Amino acid sequence: MFYANLAMSGLVQGLLLATLALSVSLCFSVAKFTNAATGDFMTVGAYVVVAIQAVTGGSLMLGVLGSCIVTALISLLAYWLLFRHLAHVSPIMSLVASVGLALFLRSVLSLFAGHEQYAIDYPIARAINFHGFLIVPIDLWVALASVALLALVFAVLYLTPIGLQVRALADNRDLARAAGIRSRGVMIVLWSLIGIVSAVGGTIIGIKTVVIPDIGWNLLLPGFAAAILGGLGNPLGAVIAAILLGICQELSTPMVGFVYKTIFSFAVLIAVLIWKPEGLFGRVEQVR
Amino acid sequence: MRLLELKELRVGYGEVDIVRGIDLHVEENEIVTIAGTNGAGKSTLVKGVMGLAPRTSGQMTFAGQDLLSRSAEDRRSLGISYVPQVANVFPSLSVSENLSIMGRGQNAKSRMDEMFSMFPALGRRKRTQARALSGGERQQLAFARALMSQPKLIVLDEPTAALSPALSTQVFEQVKQLLSMDVAVLMIEQRARQSLKISHRGYILDSGKVAMVGPAEQLLADPEMEELYLGVHE
Amino acid sequence: MIHYVITLLSIGGIYLLLAQALNLQFGFAGLPNFGIVGFFAIGSYASALLTANGNFPVYGAMLIAGLLAALMSFGLARIVLRLRTDYLAIVTLSFSEIVRILVIGEEQITNGPRGVSGIPGIPLLWSPGVNAVVLIIAVNVLVALATHLLVRSPFGRSIRAMRDDEAAFASISKSAVSYKLRVFGLGGFVMGVAGALYAHYFGYISPDQFLPLTTFYVWIAVILGGAGRLSGALIGTIVLTLFLEGSRFLRDVLPFISEVEMASVRIGAIGFALMVLASRRPQGIMGDFTSK
Ligand SMILES: Nc1ncnc2c1ncn2[C@@H]1O[C@H](COP(=O)(O)OP(=O)(O)OP(=O)(O)O)[C@@H](O)[C@H]1O
Ligand SMILES: [Mg+2]
């Protein structure tokens, strides 16, 4: 039972990582760079929820919806003012810029909101006990919300015409352009999705922990690990890897201790890079 | 009528010009072959035509309209389709997605059915990811994709490069059939002899310039051409 | 005053060493290292722990520190570079955080969050205060000279060829990866030595001195100056050091800004600088290797 409970909390952790790994992977497959600001987008998402709750008097629903809009706008702004101008230089420069954006966002947040902890309000209910298997209702909601979010993203990608264009552009930029696909429209969809995913992910971290300026950054590394494990640029692989990683990480806690939870994801990453360098589900991408 | 017309076209990456002043044209319903040594700048030339090269200058018109001022995305709507030398399909998209990316709606639907009857092998594998196709099937998909938008000109970059001799012959047959569909063809080919046999005219490029130009039969008969660019055997 | 100048030179000199190392890895070989501070920390801790309570000679410890960092960077790059360069940035960044977590966690060895104190200074001929700065400058000159020679050696020409046209290079030589690995290891060595110098200069180190921010400082210095040029690393480091010091002065002039706020402002400014430099002037002030 002990392990079942750990697995449940690992699943929630994994779904949370999945939102981050999905943003990283989407950005990598379409915009072709590693976005180190992904975690801080989530932090922004969490703070926006806190702010909206403070103004409206605590509605979580309103907070999440508002945060989706605001975070998507910020994400679009980042594309328009920053990443758009980096499309033609080396992807390393985009990565450098995204680190800059991450630092900048964090600094703005801590300047305006200070370093105190905030919390996201949610209706607290007692854990349901199935013969020792504890289910906290909020965990269920979190799990449902993340599954719904992931389903939404994949529905956009795989069931809509614009999603088809996103995938085409991710596959082969020049061919997509020659086929008349405008990258601007695709990028707007991409960055909106990244914003929405970050808002929901941020809300989840905020609910599971506290809201401080570092929450997103602290999750970035396991998120990266999951994205690589899934085969960088393979969004579905990233999601599955993140969930597996979350569960394994939690199950390993009694053995390796709390401090080394983070190291666990890194160790898994290195091990996979040694034995299966293309990722768990990856295919070796075409060399650009 | 003259479809594509290039005057003093220069195309380059970074600081160097790879294509250094080329005049070339393609008439309606004409098959034109571009041949030349490896690295002569053939692929670079057509990238310039498609708007995919970093730097292009000179004059370039299509059906009388200026091309240079248009983005790569716009050129397709004028009626130019492109099949690159490598990476000519979207690997993670299915066969039918590769086609439907070129257009939607009722018209596209019937067009897609036409493509499937023209390339029956594709019709049998509609849901297969393009990366799982064989080399020959992939080339057919690339063709079908390019034809989906009902272009006036189709630009092919070494369509037979990765294919066996038997499959290549089949590709040349298909190119010939394009004429009956009112499509002009600008085709880069290493198998220059075979390609010229189905072409009206040919250009031979060398170091970014036109070394020889003329009607296909004339080029095929030219002894200098034979020695320098065609080789003794195919 | 003279004391302040010496402090400035020492700190700037250590940054310059890191910038030179990154210049070697990224500027010359095109390999992005986002875990600089991790190799720096390894060097620092190795040298500090060896010398703090034993009689281990300081110079020997510094050498070992460099070798250890070189080994780690070499090993890491060896694993990652089998597939693609994109992973290197992520893996090195993660690595540096892991190093920090390990330093905090392995208290028996590293003394955890309390840090290591009583690290002996650098024994040299002059008066103790000047020792470190002289050595730091000397090592910088040495590294600059070595880099200069390296770049002009056949080995260096291969590296440049590789950076400018990897595809062509791969067809000329199958050992592209091996070149990359060696350059990366060399850079790691310099970072480790820089860490050791830092430890012996300050006499006290603790995990919170090895935050990722340091890595990004070095990136700023290198991009600011222009990747791939020695002069670039120098100018970038000078501007960076002036900025970091300037922001300290600013705090003295504007006392109503709290220490925490000032730290936020500094991070924000660094972030802003990274964004602007990367998007508007990726070739740096001095121009990078693409402009001759
Ligand atoms: N993306 C690029 N950046 C820089 N130089 C390039 C690029 N692509 C091609 N070149 C250079 O341009 C020159 C001509 O290349 P191009 O691909 O046009 O030749 P080609 O005639 O198509 O050769 P092949 O018959 O081998 O396909 C070559 O020297 C090549 O190195
Ligand atoms: Mg070619």
Side-chain angles (χ1 to χ4, degrees), chain B residues 42-44 85 157-158 188:
Chain B
K42 307 180 295 291
S43 295
T44 305
Q85 181 167 0
D157 194 347
E158 301 203 19
I188 297 177

Side-chain angles (χ1 to χ4, degrees), chain C residues 176-199:
Chain C
V177 174
S178 136
Y179 279 124
K180 288 181 171 189
L181 289 177
R182 277 185 265 171
V183 178
F184 206 74
L186 210 59
F189 179 80
V190 176
M191 288 169 188
V193 170
L197 283 168
Y198 175 83

Side-chain angles (χ1 to χ4, degrees), chain A residues 42 45-46 49 60 63-64 67 120 198-208:
Chain A
M42 293 201 161
V49 176
L60 181 58
V64 176
S67 178
I120 291 178
S198 301
V200 177
T203 312
I204 299 176
I205 326 176
I207 287 177
K208 297 298 295 176

Side-chain angles (χ1 to χ4, degrees), chain A residues 81 85 107 110 260 273-274 277, chain C residues 82-83 106 260 264 268 278 280:
Chain A
L81 296 179
H85 303 285
S107 130
S110 54
Y260 290 151
L273 282 180
I274 290 173
Chain C
R82 288 195 307 166
L83 195 60
E106 295 296 320
V260 191
S264 292
R280 305 297 145 120

